[in-house]
Amino acid sequence: VEISKNDLRWQHVEKEIYKNNKTLFLQYNTNNIRINYNGISTTYPEKVIFKTRLAGLNDNWSEPTSERLYTQTNIPNGEYFFELLACNANGIWTKLPYRLKIIIIPAFWQTWWFFTIIIIISIALISISINLYFRKRKQNEEKKARIEKKLINLQLSTLNAQLDPHFVFNAINAIGVEVQINNPAKAYNHFVKISNLLRSSLKNTDQISRLLKHEIDFVTN
């Protein structure tokens, strides 16, 4: 029996490894195997033919051949049986096959428990990501609500600063005085200005800034 890694540098396996229990243990990266065999015949050794198979990988027997070499590369992780039948020149086959058990030991990252750990970690990361996403989303919503509340307060403060109740009261009194002294033109002029002032204030209640030209018109009024 010879084994090799991917470089296909074949090396013999010591018989003591498998001669007692006929089990050959190979690592995941040494999964190429080559087996030399022969059938004992005292009359016509050259007439001996063989059939082989690697049960677990391919359960079909090979065609009868005089070839005395079996090669199989890239054997997946798992448990297999190399089986060999021989036939002499008289056409008599061995009743039971020679069997060699071969076990390809997986790497730790190819084991079921490693995949289980990976799945658990993945689920945990997904859960954490979802939790962080909704937490961030909630924080953004709370921040947006605080900003909107602050904007409303600023708008109300701006409106209060523009239209002080005492100022409005005094302006209306001024219009009333002009009416009393029979000066309708001046009263109407004052009325138009305060009307423009009110319209400008109510029009900009949803804003905390405006163009300089509008601000100058507001102050002028």
Side-chain angles (χ1 to χ4, degrees):
V1 178
E2 297 174 293
I3 58 174
S4 76
K5 297 183 179 181
N6 292 333
D7 56 8
L8 294 181
R9 295 181 180 179
W10 299 99
Q11 56 181 351
H12 289 279
V13 177
E14 297 296 333
K15 290 183 179 180
E16 287 72 15
I17 295 179
Y18 60 88
K19 73 177 183 179
N20 294 326
N21 55 12
K22 292 186 177 180
T23 301
L24 179 61
F25 293 92
L26 301 178
Q27 295 298 324
Y28 71 97
N29 58 349
T30 311
N31 58 348
N32 302 314
I33 189 169
R34 186 165 68 179
I35 302 175
N36 293 275
Y37 48 84
N38 200 3
I40 299 175
S41 174
T42 57
T43 54
Y44 298 104
E46 68 278 0
K47 295 291 186 178
V48 178
I49 57 175
F50 305 91
K51 288 195 297 186
T52 60
R53 70 177 180 180
L54 189 60
L57 183 65
N58 185 0
D59 294 333
N60 297 321
W61 289 97
S62 66
E63 294 295 326
T65 177
S66 58
E67 180 70 33
R68 286 163 170 76
L69 179 66
Y70 175 84
T71 303
Q72 183 66 51
T73 58
N74 297 321
I75 305 174
N77 301 325
E79 184 176 303
Y80 309 93
F81 285 95
F82 169 72
E83 297 182 332
L84 172 66
L85 290 172
C87 179
N88 62 16
N90 297 322
I92 300 175
W93 287 91
T94 50
K95 294 181 180 181
L96 295 175
Y98 172 85
R99 303 187 81 197
L100 171 62
K101 188 175 183 180
I102 301 173
I103 296 178
I104 308 296
I105 303 172
F108 74 91
W109 62 81
Q110 297 172 322
T111 56
W112 66 267
W113 55 264
F114 181 80
F115 284 109
T116 302
I117 293 175
I118 292 298
I119 292 174
I120 293 174
I121 293 176
S122 300
I123 293 174
L125 290 176
I126 292 173
S127 300
I128 293 173
S129 299
I130 293 175
N131 186 41
L132 290 176
Y133 168 76
F134 282 106
R135 183 182 298 178
K136 184 68 175 179
R137 182 177 176 181
K138 184 179 179 181
Q139 291 175 350
N140 290 337
E141 291 175 352
E142 292 175 350
K143 182 179 180 181
K144 183 179 179 181
R146 289 195 300 269
I147 293 175
E148 290 177 351
K149 183 178 180 180
K150 185 176 181 180
L151 287 175
I152 291 173
N153 291 333
L154 288 173
Q155 291 166 4
L156 291 175
S157 299
T158 302
L159 181 62
N160 291 333
Q162 292 173 350
L163 291 179
D164 182 79
H166 295 288
F167 167 77
V168 176
F169 179 76
N170 292 336
I172 293 175
N173 279 340
I175 295 173
V177 169
E178 297 298 336
V179 171
Q180 285 182 347
I181 63 177
N182 197 20
N183 194 355
K186 193 172 183 181
Y188 178 76
N189 184 48
H190 290 339
F191 182 79
V192 170
K193 288 185 178 182
I194 195 171
S195 174
N196 291 334
L197 188 66
L198 291 171
R199 182 171 64 248
S200 177
S201 298
L202 295 174
K203 184 179 179 180
N204 296 298
T205 55
D206 60 340
Q207 300 176 3
I208 59 173
S209 63
R210 56 183 169 181
L211 296 177
L212 178 61
K213 178 181 182 300
H214 297 163
E215 183 67 17
I216 294 175
D217 292 339
F218 178 81
V219 174
T220 302
N221 289 327

